Amino acid sequence: MSDQLFYVSPSKPSWSNLFIAVLIVIIPALLLGYIYALLTFINPILYINFLMTVGAGLLLGLLARFVIRLVKIRNRKSKYLLTGILVLLFHFFQWSGFMLFAISDGYMGIGPFLSFLPVCLNPVFFFGIIAELFQTGYWVIFGGTIKGFVALLVWTAELAIAGGLAFQAVVMTKDYPYSEDLARWYPKFTLDNQFRSVVGSDAFIEKLNADLIGTLDEIAEGIAYKYALVHIFFLPYEKVQYLSFENVFIEGRGRGKTNSSLPINNLKISTEDAKMLMQKFGAKQERIDVI
């Protein structure tokens, strides 16, 4: 199936956008790292620390998705690079906070934490403290001190969980069409009608390209618990618009969990066809998922 039939995000990264995005995430990563370090320092319960790590990973993913949309990063490699930088910043600030608390043997406010950060930029000092914690340990669980290989496993799991959840959130983001000429995202509209579920086969796509209106007329009646929503991404002054099918299936014949999938995503259509579809079936504008 040719990529020319669908919207394709830019293959080249926008370094200026990525630079701006990194500047934006520094302060939230600092605050999140400080709070996380404080909570893990005062909390001795390993299970709660695990939940806090999961929560941190989810927040990092939401932050990355928000900034990606805000700064208009479309290139996937740039999205992943930003997420990786965000995760590393968070762990640097988290470790810096924990080091400060461990050295001070108690909680320190945000002011001393900010004053302590330049010291942590010295790699000899930073990794020297980590090496000391590796050898001597700091956390006491069930009467034993976590150190050495066990501490390394805990730190690795912490990084893997928080980073993995953040990357998962970004990987799962949908690609929305973007107008390079108008420098804005396409607004999203959903047709009022519920259509029959579809498959993204080459034959069906060819049928859509040959007669879009007629093909939608043929599948205009979906089932209450199994149907397709048709989304149109429409900018009046663009020559090309985009169409997506979202299959919806509600388990238990409409009483259970709702599942959805995108068998056809961002198929190119003409502006005339887009207008005709919205006039024929009716359409309402929806928000584009930011996070």
Side-chain angles (χ1 to χ4, degrees):
M1 196 181 301
S2 173
D3 285 341
Q4 295 180 351
L5 296 175
F6 297 88
Y7 172 78
V8 178
S9 58
S11 58
K12 295 182 179 180
S14 172
W15 296 111
S16 59
N17 285 20
L18 181 60
F19 178 73
I20 294 171
V22 171
L23 292 180
I24 292 174
V25 301
I26 288 176
I27 292 180
L30 183 150
L31 294 175
L32 184 58
Y34 172 78
I35 294 171
Y36 181 86
L38 173 61
L39 293 176
T40 54
F41 180 80
I42 64 177
N43 174 65
I45 303 175
L46 192 61
Y47 177 71
I48 295 179
N49 281 343
F50 169 77
L51 294 179
M52 287 191 293
T53 303
V54 171
L58 294 175
L59 287 175
L60 289 172
L62 292 177
L63 175 60
R65 289 176 62 161
F66 174 77
V67 175
I68 285 168
R69 190 67 58 196
L70 176 68
V71 185
K72 302 175 181 178
I73 295 178
R74 286 94 65 202
N75 175 265
R76 281 212 161 263
K77 291 182 180 178
S78 297
K79 294 178 182 180
Y80 300 151
L81 182 56
L82 173 65
T83 307
I85 292 173
L86 173 59
V87 170
L88 291 177
L89 283 172
F90 163 74
H91 279 283
F92 169 73
F93 293 130
Q94 171 250 318
W95 266 108
S96 298
F98 190 87
M99 288 176 187
L100 174 63
F101 303 150
I103 293 172
S104 306
D105 198 25
Y107 159 73
M108 300 294 287
I110 191 71
F113 171 68
L114 295 176
S115 300
F116 185 67
L117 286 178
V119 180
C120 295
L121 291 174
N122 183 338
V124 176
F125 173 83
F126 186 81
F127 291 105
I129 296 295
I130 292 179
E132 185 176 342
L133 289 172
F134 176 82
Q135 293 176 352
T136 63
Y138 191 86
W139 301 269
V140 177
I141 303 293
F142 301 121
T145 302
I146 296 180
K147 60 183 178 179
F149 182 69
V150 176
L152 183 61
L153 283 178
V154 172
W155 299 340
T156 303
E158 185 179 53
L159 176 61
I161 292 170
L165 289 172
F167 272 98
Q168 183 185 39
V170 174
V171 169
M172 293 175 63
T173 56
K174 301 172 184 176
D175 283 331
Y176 289 106
Y178 181 85
S179 170
E180 301 294 339
D181 293 332
L182 300 177
R184 58 173 296 190
W185 302 103
Y186 275 71
K188 178 182 178 182
F189 296 84
T190 299
L191 299 186
D192 294 335
N193 198 76
Q194 292 182 350
F195 300 85
R196 290 205 305 268
S197 297
V198 302
V199 293
S201 64
D202 290 353
F204 183 68
I205 291 172
E206 289 177 5
K207 193 173 181 180
L208 289 172
N209 286 327
D211 183 8
L212 179 60
I213 308 296
T215 302
L216 289 185
D217 274 333
E218 293 177 7
I219 60 169
E221 296 182 3
I223 304 173
Y225 61 89
K226 185 179 180 182
Y227 55 88
L229 297 174
V230 174
H231 306 296
I232 295 177
F233 297 88
F234 182 80
L235 268 177
Y237 300 106
E238 277 285 357
K239 296 179 181 178
V240 177
Q241 314 299 332
Y242 298 92
L243 177 143
S244 296
F245 281 88
E246 180 183 5
N247 282 343
V248 177
F249 174 67
I250 306 174
E251 298 175 1
R253 290 184 170 270
R255 302 186 195 88
K257 178 182 176 182
T258 300
N259 303 290
S260 65
S261 61
L262 290 171
I264 298 174
N265 192 29
N266 299 332
L267 176 69
K268 292 181 180 179
I269 62 174
S270 68
T271 299
E272 182 182 352
D273 279 346
K275 289 180 178 179
M276 290 177 63
L277 284 176
M278 290 192 288
Q279 290 172 358
K280 180 178 178 62
F281 295 103
K284 61 181 178 181
Q285 184 172 354
E286 296 188 2
R287 68 178 181 88
I288 290 179
D289 296 330
V290 175
I291 59 176

